[in-house]
Amino acid sequence: MLISCAAYQDGKKLGDIDAGRIADYLGLPGCFVWVALHDPTAAELGDMQRRFSLHPLAVEDAQTGHQRPKIEEYGDMLFAVLHLVEPAGEDFNVGELAVFAGPRFLLSVRSRAEKGFQEVRARCEREPEMLRQGSGYVLYALIDAAVDRYFPILDKLEDELESIEGLIFAATGVPRGNIEALYALKQRLMIMKHAVAPLLEGISNVSGARVPALCVGTTLYFRDVYDHLQRLNQTADSIRDTIATAISVNLSLVTLQENETMKRLAAYAALLAVPTMIAGIYGMNFEHMPELKWRYGYVLSLAVMAAIDFYLFSRFKRSHWL
Amino acid sequence: MLISCAAYQDGKKLGDIDAGRIADYLGLPGCFVWVALHDPTAAELGDMQRRFSLHPLAVEDAQTGHQRPKIEEYGDMLFAVLHLVEPAGEDFNVGELAVFAGPRFLLSVRSRAEKGFQEVRARCEREPEMLRQGSGYVLYALIDAAVDRYFPILDKLEDELESIEGLIFAATGVPRGNIEALYALKQRLMIMKHAVAPLLEGISNVSGARVPALCVGTTLYFRDVYDHLQRLNQTADSIRDTIATAISVNLSLVTLQENETMKRLAAYAALLAVPTMIAGIYGMNFEHMPELKWRYGYVLSLAVMAAIDFYLFSRFKRSHWL
Amino acid sequence: MLISCAAYQDGKKLGDIDAGRIADYLGLPGCFVWVALHDPTAAELGDMQRRFSLHPLAVEDAQTGHQRPKIEEYGDMLFAVLHLVEPAGEDFNVGELAVFAGPRFLLSVRSRAEKGFQEVRARCEREPEMLRQGSGYVLYALIDAAVDRYFPILDKLEDELESIEGLIFAATGVPRGNIEALYALKQRLMIMKHAVAPLLEGISNVSGARVPALCVGTTLYFRDVYDHLQRLNQTADSIRDTIATAISVNLSLVTLQENETMKRLAAYAALLAVPTMIAGIYGMNFEHMPELKWRYGYVLSLAVMAAIDFYLFSRFKRSHWL
Amino acid sequence: MLISCAAYQDGKKLGDIDAGRIADYLGLPGCFVWVALHDPTAAELGDMQRRFSLHPLAVEDAQTGHQRPKIEEYGDMLFAVLHLVEPAGEDFNVGELAVFAGPRFLLSVRSRAEKGFQEVRARCEREPEMLRQGSGYVLYALIDAAVDRYFPILDKLEDELESIEGLIFAATGVPRGNIEALYALKQRLMIMKHAVAPLLEGISNVSGARVPALCVGTTLYFRDVYDHLQRLNQTADSIRDTIATAISVNLSLVTLQENETMKRLAAYAALLAVPTMIAGIYGMNFEHMPELKWRYGYVLSLAVMAAIDFYLFSRFKRSHWL
Amino acid sequence: MLISCAAYQDGKKLGDIDAGRIADYLGLPGCFVWVALHDPTAAELGDMQRRFSLHPLAVEDAQTGHQRPKIEEYGDMLFAVLHLVEPAGEDFNVGELAVFAGPRFLLSVRSRAEKGFQEVRARCEREPEMLRQGSGYVLYALIDAAVDRYFPILDKLEDELESIEGLIFAATGVPRGNIEALYALKQRLMIMKHAVAPLLEGISNVSGARVPALCVGTTLYFRDVYDHLQRLNQTADSIRDTIATAISVNLSLVTLQENETMKRLAAYAALLAVPTMIAGIYGMNFEHMPELKWRYGYVLSLAVMAAIDFYLFSRFKRSHWL
């Protein structure tokens, strides 16, 4: 679906144009055409491929989807793929933004994602001095917007991790639930990691040693995006590390607690077993058991049971068995 | 076994030729010979070595088999080895595809693998403008086809992992079986990893800084294969990581569950031990035990037993011991 | 809030100047202006941006805060961000120091941190021969001061780790408490790690192969800071590694101890169960039980119980079960 | 001990020569001398050092032994050290092969190893066209032979690992034995790893970017060795990884099995405790226990015991406690 | 404290000189001054700083101590810091050797370490042809001597590890003690690791691509030290890896053993519970219990108890529960 198609010259919008008239604008000096597609059909994409002479491999990637994030050069063109991660209930919905940027045009293809990039177009049109730098700047602006959307998602994952951590040490929670929650959190984190880490690598190629012609005027901006991605990447690594520790600490604490309980139950059982044994002995039916005839035999036997248990109880307490 | 032997000129097939007449075609301008062998004998391979002046080290590798995937240069020739992974029941059958590519010829040697590469030949013949680029493009097409076969295999491993994950958290499954299944999954994954990771390295040499003459026209295509391999590699790493976590989480959950059970059994045992002890006491044969003569002694003793157990039961419930 | 604003020429202070007159000094030969802000408003920062022609991306970073430590070049300017870590009760308060250094000026922006850098200004003014090298040297002096503040913090973490280690092996402590303490320690350590590791990377750019013009005279000094950071980084890694080992060793020791206890309780229970069983047998009410009528039946039965228990006791002792 | 000393010219053996006449041959065009020592005395080595002007540091390494595998350049000479790993009962015997290769000579020193390299000399003499390339080729042939001996050793380790894996899942084996076997296997693996990994690094220097003059004609051969070493290294890493997993899985399975057993024992104990308690109650000596006088009191009590146990038994079965 | 101060010319010692006359010798052709200090005061060091024009940052490092090992260039001077690790009872004492080497002098500063480097001076004076190369060679000789002292220390750690390993599998030892010993061993190992790993990095700068002028004639020697350090580093990594495995294997074996014991105790308890239950039943006081009146009731009941226990015993044996 074609969302918009407009021509810009020297940083100013000439106006929305019909897709059929794109060729007329590609030749104007200082002019570039910006087209946005959303979940395009193969025909729509094929049409754009012809108009902008896109490389078939890049078009195939945009069509197929499920690519790793990347920024590739095809001659004087750049082809970028980014993941668009949108929370969908408990899970993440991963869409894609594919961007073809040439000296005279920029084509963005959004797939399987709800939220559009209209605000990027608006921002660019408010900054004519930046937009004058052409499609390289628009490419930056789109990537920057997509990357900025990663921050609240990662923040939310961090918050969830913190709330699970609280449950771990409170220990009134359900340990099984904590592990399941941490496991699910890790899987969502990996989706973010797969969105961020390869892109970091890709961006370094347009802000590092050899910069493609298209981005020459905007390297500082791409370096800024690179810096954001590094922050995201570090946060993701940090969360991952903490999840691993939290899983093992959670298990440790639960094991400790269960062991404590078992130990206490075993110690109480021992306290019960002593009187049971003594009672058993005086329950024997031997004819000659002198104690049985004692006046205070019964009371004495109870006293002995109590004394032994009292002794054991205090000893267990001292040994931290109870 | 010779599968096919054909000559091509300027992207078009001249026709199938007899192996004995290969030399006649090697000298024709814009012409190259494409030979496919399957599980060849040493004699067949020796014959090709003479015709194409293959390097003895490369031929030895193709003969011996069980190589790491790689792409090596021998002068102006390229020698590539790929793993062909084919599901065989519960296990994987790992064959090999060795490709010798020179400026005037391409020789592919398939070993210990069922499925051939006829569809690659068909695709190449349908695209004369690509085939005109010579053996470098055919080399790409073969590698691309082999790599594309990795995707469904890895997808299947991912599906299996997910179904095991379901069993872990459902916890009605057999924990022992889960661990065995994860262990077996990991071993099959490692076969894929050994097919993908070294090839990634090898491909980077033909799509990176210094490109061999044979591949100059097809670097973008090799970069595309490289990109596919990176995706495969990332998926494999991700699965491996998840398997490790799943093994440990599975064990944790089982341990938790078993501990729960033991704790409950121990708590119930304690509930039984109390009446047993009291009954033991009133089973003693002392002559002077006044309670024994009480009218409601028996009932009272039962009441005491019940009261203590009721108290313990509710306390255990509160402490989550039951 | 503007803390100070002074002009320096040839290593000597010309005097505090009004912010409005900064432009007059920027043109003087061998002169540079040093401005320090603390938690500035957007307006104050915007004012400085205009006066020193700061790059909007750098200003945005200083304004927003929560950046990774870094040192970036903007043309002939350097922009550095450092974390200021200040102990706040049990936790750390992480502020930031952003420094803009140009050939003619240095602007430092301290955010969310208590302690200022007045002593750096004092030190620089005491060393005119160093200060003569201009803003590059002041940049070094600020970074050096910030980095030096990391040492006591990391030393304290190391001390805490050692005191927890003492508790682990003393084993009179609370194992649960040890794990919580180690977990909390690790989180504070990660704050330090995030302050140190990215800065290490950043500094290597101003002391390594291609040095920015601003730092040419001070590379040896930056290399010294780099060396300090490496020491800090190594210490942090070492602490992290030890925490991981300590957590697992702590759990191991506790598990060992609990197992010991359980084993001893179980062994004692077995010792009690034997007499209970024998007593039970002689408590049976069969009419024909000859032992019951023996003169020394009772004593003999007690002797048998004692003998068996004595035998078991010594055997358990030998097997280290008791 | 001098094993052999022969001179070669243009790929052909001139004949065995006396060590004292080495100098006569060093000057002949296209001629080189090949000397093999086995566990030489310091005097023998010193003698060779003088004749071939070997560097004292290299000679010291060959004398002392226990070096890391390496390939070093001393001017136009190469000095290589390899580990010779020979199975000795359950353990490995690690010897060394030190090779000094100069433009006019090759000196091999074998230490603490049984098996010699006579077959390398025989192979070289059968291939005069290769031997014509001089000592660089002989160096390759020796390294190739030594590396080829690693394969069967690593294969055997792999086989052992597989047979232990079988025991783990069969679970009729002795878990303690499995762990000891895996631990011992890992230690032998590390010996192989220490033989392979540093050599890999060393070989990359003679087959990579800047090739020493001595190896210029044989780079393809060294690359082949490099490839073999990479395969060995990958196999070793793979085995190591599997050992770690196997240790933890073995422990997990054993723990699961033991927990199962404990749970079943505890459940059976609970089944026994119920009748014991009831029997205890009817063993009390109260005067007023109406049930005792019932005609079918005894039978009824047995029935109640059986009923409760039957109920518990079926419930335990359902909960997988039995 | 000044230990010695001597002048050398063309590899020969001119004689011990007074510190005050150092300047006279610095100008002589082919002459250099070698000064050794031990735990110097700030004044002594300041004195040397003036005489040799040492860089203040290097002097500060030597004064402060507790540096990472490193080799730094200051113009045409080299500044090296090494750790001197000396066993002190159960622990290690870590001193430092700081060396300033210029074209005309070498100043060594030993701090907090007992053992001196007199034997290095003696060795150098015995080898005039080497000493002729000046302070670069002396720098090498000092580093070589310091590194050689690491070998016996690491060997001892390896021996200790092996003796603990013996205790683990003998399993008659104290598992708690094993873990404590392994933990302590790891901490001492880390001290060695911190001495070796950074130095390895530092040495690579004086034996690698761009060699400082001072070391041009001695690169082969520095490469030899580098090789030694790599061996040390590999050994340290290997020990660390083994310690980690040993801790986990130790715990595994102990857990296995404890589980075995618990299982056996539980099985024995079950064997005792059966007769106890039966005896309890025949200890009930029902009036109508026909078995009680049987002639052989008692014997029969004992026989039943024995039979059941015999059956259970053999079944437990078969299931490896006993």
Side-chain angles (χ1 to χ4, degrees), chain A:
Chain A
M1 191 171 64
L2 182 78
I3 293 188
S4 71
C5 176
Y8 295 82
Q9 194 170 33
D10 294 330
K12 278 184 209 133
K13 186 174 186 172
L14 294 180
D16 288 319
I17 62 173
D18 190 80
R21 293 193 46 224
I22 286 176
D24 303 349
Y25 290 86
L26 291 182
L28 293 184
C31 177
F32 79 97
V33 176
W34 179 353
V35 183
L37 298 178
H38 182 203
D39 288 331
T41 61
E44 286 173 318
L45 212 50
D47 183 55
M48 288 299 159
Q49 177 175 6
R50 270 186 311 279
R51 291 187 200 283
F52 298 124
S53 323
L54 306 177
H55 195 283
L57 285 173
V59 172
E60 195 189 311
D61 282 353
Q63 185 73 55
T64 322
H66 305 292
Q67 302 294 312
R68 286 179 82 230
K70 61 182 169 185
I71 299 187
E72 289 180 334
E73 287 183 70
Y74 285 95
D76 61 353
M77 266 180 46
L78 284 178
F79 174 59
V81 177
L82 288 93
H83 285 186
L84 301 173
V85 182
E86 298 180 333
E90 278 299 283
D91 233 327
F92 283 161
N93 171 32
V94 182
E96 262 168 38
L97 178 70
V99 186
F100 302 80
R104 293 285 178 206
F105 71 95
L106 185 128
L107 167 65
S108 75
V109 182
R110 173 161 54 94
S111 308
R112 286 161 290 118
E114 293 275 306
K115 204 180 166 196
F117 287 89
Q118 288 77 5
E119 94 265 15
V120 173
R121 195 178 285 263
R123 173 186 161 193
C124 287
E125 292 175 359
R126 276 198 312 274
E127 303 178 320
E129 78 288 357
M130 300 303 309
L131 194 52
R132 189 169 293 138
Q133 306 192 29
S135 59
Y137 181 74
V138 176
L139 176 63
Y140 152 73
L142 281 168
I143 294 178
D144 189 47
V147 169
D148 276 352
R149 290 180 189 173
Y150 294 159
F151 281 99
I153 297 178
L154 219 53
D155 284 351
K156 193 154 161 290
L157 292 182
E158 225 169 1
D159 289 349
E160 284 184 38
L161 178 55
E162 263 176 50
S163 82
I164 302 174
E165 279 176 340
L167 291 174
I168 292 174
F169 288 109
T172 59
V174 195
R176 192 185 175 77
N178 291 343
I179 291 182
E180 277 198 58
L182 288 166
Y183 192 87
L185 192 61
K186 186 175 175 188
Q187 291 195 310
R188 274 186 296 153
L189 181 71
M190 291 323 282
I191 291 175
M192 286 309 294
K193 179 82 188 168
H194 291 335
V196 168
L199 190 58
L200 193 64
E201 202 183 300
I203 294 278
S204 77
N205 294 332
V206 290
S207 65
R210 204 188 58 77
V211 174
L214 209 65
C215 304
V216 162
T218 50
T219 27
L220 288 185
Y221 290 88
F222 278 105
R223 194 181 66 188
D224 194 56
V225 172
Y226 185 75
D227 195 60
H228 290 183
L229 283 165
Q230 271 195 310
R231 252 195 296 156
L232 287 164
N233 199 37
Q234 180 186 286
T235 307
D237 285 345
S238 195
I239 294 179
R240 178 157 63 164
D241 188 58
T242 309
I243 287 176
T245 310
I247 285 182
S248 92
V249 161
N250 182 54
L251 185 67
S252 302
L253 289 178
V254 174
T255 305
L256 279 181
Q257 194 185 5
E258 301 272 323
N259 280 351
E260 275 296 309
T261 305
M262 288 300 287
K263 201 174 62 179
R264 292 181 68 184
L265 280 168
Y268 278 121
L271 291 187
L272 290 172
V274 169
T276 304
M277 180 192 70
I278 296 175
I281 288 173
Y282 290 110
M284 295 193 296
N285 297 321
F286 287 101
E287 289 187 354
H288 301 279
M289 291 177 69
E291 298 97 317
L292 295 182
K293 279 157 197 141
W294 294 356
R295 186 77 189 88
Y296 297 104
Y298 174 49
V299 176
L300 210 69
S301 74
L302 290 182
V304 166
M305 293 174 194
I308 294 181
D309 266 11
F310 182 79
Y311 168 72
L312 286 177
F313 184 82
S314 59
R315 219 181 119 178
F316 287 179
K317 272 284 178 200
R318 268 206 310 280
S319 318
H320 295 280
W321 290 7
L322 270 177

Side-chain angles (χ1 to χ4, degrees), chain E residues 240-253:
Chain E
R240 178 157 63 165
D241 188 59
T242 310
I243 287 177
T245 311
I247 286 183
S248 92
V249 162
N250 183 52
L251 185 67
S252 301
L253 289 179

Side-chain angles (χ1 to χ4, degrees), chain E residues 15-137:
Chain E
D16 289 319
I17 60 173
D18 191 79
R21 294 192 48 224
I22 287 176
D24 303 348
Y25 290 87
L26 292 182
L28 294 184
C31 177
F32 79 96
V33 176
W34 180 351
V35 183
L37 298 179
H38 181 204
D39 288 333
T41 61
E44 286 173 317
L45 212 50
D47 184 55
M48 289 298 161
Q49 178 175 4
R50 271 185 309 279
R51 289 187 201 284
F52 297 125
S53 323
L54 306 176
H55 195 283
L57 284 173
V59 173
E60 196 189 310
D61 281 355
Q63 187 72 54
T64 322
H66 304 293
Q67 302 295 310
R68 286 179 83 229
K70 60 181 169 187
I71 299 186
E72 289 180 334
E73 287 183 70
Y74 285 95
D76 61 354
M77 266 181 45
L78 283 178
F79 173 61
V81 176
L82 288 93
H83 284 187
L84 302 173
V85 182
E86 299 179 332
E90 279 297 286
D91 233 326
F92 284 160
N93 171 32
V94 182
E96 262 168 38
L97 178 69
V99 186
F100 303 81
R104 294 285 177 204
F105 72 92
L106 184 128
L107 167 64
S108 75
V109 181
R110 172 162 53 93
S111 308
R112 285 160 292 119
E114 292 276 304
K115 203 178 167 199
F117 286 89
Q118 288 76 6
E119 94 266 15
V120 174
R121 194 178 285 264
R123 172 186 162 194
C124 287
E125 292 174 0
R126 277 199 312 273
E127 303 179 320
E129 76 289 355
M130 302 302 309
L131 193 52
R132 189 169 294 136
Q133 306 191 29
S135 59
Y137 181 73

Side-chain angles (χ1 to χ4, degrees), chain E residues 76-254:
Chain E
D76 61 354
M77 266 181 45
L78 283 178
F79 173 61
V81 176
L82 288 93
H83 284 187
L84 302 173
V85 182
E86 299 179 332
E90 279 297 286
D91 233 326
F92 284 160
N93 171 32
V94 182
E96 262 168 38
L97 178 69
V99 186
F100 303 81
R104 294 285 177 204
F105 72 92
L106 184 128
L107 167 64
S108 75
V109 181
R110 172 162 53 93
S111 308
R112 285 160 292 119
E114 292 276 304
K115 203 178 167 199
F117 286 89
Q118 288 76 6
E119 94 266 15
V120 174
R121 194 178 285 264
R123 172 186 162 194
C124 287
E125 292 174 0
R126 277 199 312 273
E127 303 179 320
E129 76 289 355
M130 302 302 309
L131 193 52
R132 189 169 294 136
Q133 306 191 29
S135 59
Y137 181 73
V138 177
L139 176 63
Y140 152 72
L142 281 168
I143 294 178
D144 188 47
V147 168
D148 276 352
R149 290 181 189 172
Y150 294 158
F151 281 98
I153 297 178
L154 219 53
D155 284 352
K156 193 152 161 291
L157 291 182
E158 225 169 0
D159 290 349
E160 284 184 38
L161 178 55
E162 263 177 48
S163 82
I164 301 174
E165 279 177 340
L167 289 175
I168 291 174
F169 288 109
T172 59
V174 196
R176 193 186 174 76
N178 292 343
I179 291 181
E180 278 197 57
L182 288 166
Y183 193 87
L185 192 62
K186 186 175 175 188
Q187 291 194 311
R188 274 187 296 153
L189 181 72
M190 291 324 281
I191 291 175
M192 286 309 294
K193 180 82 188 167
H194 291 335
V196 168
L199 191 58
L200 194 64
E201 201 184 300
I203 294 278
S204 78
N205 294 332
V206 290
S207 63
R210 206 189 56 79
V211 175
L214 209 66
C215 304
V216 162
T218 50
T219 27
L220 289 184
Y221 290 88
F222 278 105
R223 194 182 65 188
D224 194 56
V225 172
Y226 185 75
D227 196 59
H228 290 183
L229 283 166
Q230 272 196 309
R231 251 196 295 155
L232 287 164
N233 198 36
Q234 178 187 287
T235 307
D237 285 345
S238 194
I239 295 179
R240 178 157 63 165
D241 188 59
T242 310
I243 287 177
T245 311
I247 286 183
S248 92
V249 162
N250 183 52
L251 185 67
S252 301
L253 289 179
V254 174

